[in-house]
């Protein structure tokens, strides 16, 4: 648990480290019991509150605590991998929203003139310090676009965090001689069959939104499209990694070849297309 405490503190300087924080507690909860681990997690958050910022510590507890609990419950009861992954991603998504509200973040403030002006002035100072030209109109358009697709970005982030947590937990337990139902290696990643139902439901949702004029149709469409687009990109990267690894045995050359594909303009569309084809035809013949 010392490693968990150090990781939590290091995350203050490098926030990306928090991606690996829940996996450590989920792994220990399977071995030592959820009550003990949640107590330790609470203690670490309390220490963070005392030495740093109470609001930040409360946010960390509110975001990761529920996901640790649900992961432990679903792994212990041997739920299907896809079910565990997407339920825990949903829990993380909801926890981020509720945690943000709990510490006083009002998402409507992001649209206020005061907040936008602060953002623009910060960007101007940063870009000028790097010797870059500052174009207020372009930055403002980008900012508003980010706000529009923020829900999709949060959903995608939630899936990534849940996937990383699940994979690290599974691999860590294997090293300790225990096996749980877990996601396969990334090169064998395949999107769940229920994705078709999700697409149909989304289509119905689009129809209702446009028919009843409930919300801005274009914004909703963009968010849902971005979520599915990213899922197919991840699947496509997995497909290409599978075949590159199959035909190019040298890892260095295979990595360089994959990197070169990323440099191709529009490579995201290539990955998404590969993901769609694999979803429809199962070109890797995976079970």
């Amino acid at each position: 648990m010392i490693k968990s405490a150090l990781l939590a503190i290091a995350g203050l300087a490098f926030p990306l480290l928090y991606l690996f924080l829940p996996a450590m507690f989920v792994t220990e909860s399977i071995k030592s019991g959820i009550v003990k681990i949640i107590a330790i997690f609470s203690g670490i958050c309390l220490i963070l509150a005392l030495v740093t910022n109470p609001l930040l510590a409360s946010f960390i507890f509110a975001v990761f605590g529920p996901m640790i609990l649900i992961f432990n419950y679903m792994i212990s009861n041997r739920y299907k991998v896809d079910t565990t992954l997407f339920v825990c991603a949903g829990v993380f998504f909801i926890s981020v929203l509720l945690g943000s509200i709990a510490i006083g973040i009002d998402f409507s403030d992001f649209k206020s003139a005061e907040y936008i002006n602060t953002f623009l002035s910060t960007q101007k100072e940063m870009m000028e310090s790097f010797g870059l030209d500052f174009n207020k109109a372009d930055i403002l358009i980008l900012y508003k676009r980010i706000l529009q697709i923020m829900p999709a970005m949060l959903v995608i982030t939630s899936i990534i965090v849940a996937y990383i947590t699940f994979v690290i937990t599974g691999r860590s337990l294997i090293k300790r001689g225990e096996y749980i139902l877990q996601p396969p290696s990334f090169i064998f990643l395949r999107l769940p069959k229920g994705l078709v139902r999700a697409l149909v439901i989304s289509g119905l949702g689009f129809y209702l939104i446009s028919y009843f004029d409930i919300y801005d149709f274009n914004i909703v469409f963009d968010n849902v499209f971005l979520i599915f687009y990213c899922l197919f990109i991840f699947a496509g990267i997995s497909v290409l990694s599978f075949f590159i690894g199959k035909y190019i045995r040298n890892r260095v050359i295979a990595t360089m070849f994959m990197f070169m594909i990323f440099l191709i303009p529009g490579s995201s569309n290539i990955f998404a297309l590969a993901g769609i084809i694999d979803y429809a035809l199962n070109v890797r013949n995976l079970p």
Side-chain angles (χ1 to χ4, degrees):
M1 288 296 101
I2 295 177
K3 291 181 180 180
S4 302
L6 293 175
L7 184 62
I9 295 173
L12 298 174
F14 306 100
L16 285 177
L17 291 177
Y18 283 125
L19 289 174
F20 308 99
L21 183 64
M24 303 178 72
F25 289 98
V26 175
T27 302
E28 293 299 329
S29 72
I30 301 298
K31 295 282 292 183
S32 305
I34 188 62
V35 175
K36 177 182 176 181
I37 297 306
I38 284 296
I40 294 175
F41 179 65
S42 302
I44 290 175
C45 290
L46 179 60
I47 293 172
L48 283 177
L50 294 175
V51 300
T52 58
N53 188 323
L55 287 179
L56 176 61
S58 300
F59 182 75
I60 291 173
F61 182 82
V63 168
F64 293 120
M67 189 171 73
I68 294 170
L69 283 169
I70 299 302
F71 253 123
N72 175 273
Y73 174 79
M74 300 193 76
I75 289 174
S76 299
N77 288 277
R78 301 182 67 81
Y79 279 82
K80 292 182 179 179
V81 171
D82 292 341
T83 303
T84 301
L85 180 61
F86 285 103
V87 167
C88 290
V91 169
F92 182 82
F93 177 86
I94 295 171
S95 297
V96 170
L97 293 179
L98 296 181
S100 300
I101 294 172
I103 64 174
I105 295 177
D106 187 349
F107 292 101
S108 62
D109 289 342
F110 295 146
K111 298 180 181 179
S112 66
E114 181 182 356
Y115 193 96
I116 292 174
N117 289 331
T118 302
F119 173 81
L120 290 174
S121 61
T122 302
Q123 291 299 309
K124 182 178 180 181
E125 292 176 3
M126 184 175 67
M127 293 181 71
E128 288 179 348
S129 66
F130 285 101
L132 301 174
D133 293 331
F134 175 77
N135 188 311
K136 181 178 178 180
D138 290 342
I139 298 297
L140 188 58
I141 291 173
L142 177 62
Y143 177 77
K144 291 181 178 180
R145 183 57 177 164
I146 290 174
L147 289 183
Q148 290 177 347
I149 62 173
M150 187 176 289
M153 294 169 62
L154 182 54
V155 169
I156 295 165
T157 301
S158 300
I159 295 173
I160 292 173
V161 171
Y163 179 79
I164 290 175
T165 300
F166 207 171
V167 169
I168 293 177
T169 298
R171 305 307 186 266
S172 299
L173 288 172
I174 287 177
K175 292 179 180 178
R176 300 184 183 188
E178 292 194 20
Y179 178 80
I180 61 170
L181 294 177
Q182 58 188 285
S185 299
F186 181 73
I187 61 171
F188 300 115
L189 175 68
R190 192 158 187 258
L191 297 177
K193 297 178 180 178
L195 200 63
V196 173
R197 291 195 297 270
L199 285 168
V200 172
I201 293 173
S202 298
L204 178 61
F206 291 143
Y207 173 77
L208 293 175
I209 289 171
S210 61
Y211 184 81
F212 293 105
D213 197 22
I214 300 172
Y215 197 70
D216 191 313
F217 174 84
N218 292 326
I219 294 177
V220 175
F221 178 83
D222 287 347
N223 277 272
V224 175
F225 174 81
L226 182 59
I227 292 170
F228 284 109
Y229 182 66
C230 288
L231 289 176
F232 282 121
I233 286 176
F234 295 146
I237 294 174
S238 172
V239 172
L240 293 179
S241 298
F242 174 87
F243 285 108
I244 289 174
K246 182 177 181 180
Y247 294 107
I248 303 177
R249 297 297 183 180
N250 188 298
R251 289 189 176 184
V252 176
I253 297 176
T255 302
M256 291 178 61
F257 188 78
M258 193 68 182
F259 179 73
M260 290 174 63
I261 295 177
F262 274 99
L263 296 179
I264 298 174
S267 59
S268 60
N269 293 329
I270 297 174
F271 293 132
L273 180 61
I276 292 171
I277 292 173
D278 181 69
Y279 184 80
L281 304 177
N282 190 15
V283 295
R284 291 172 291 178
N285 293 319
L286 299 180

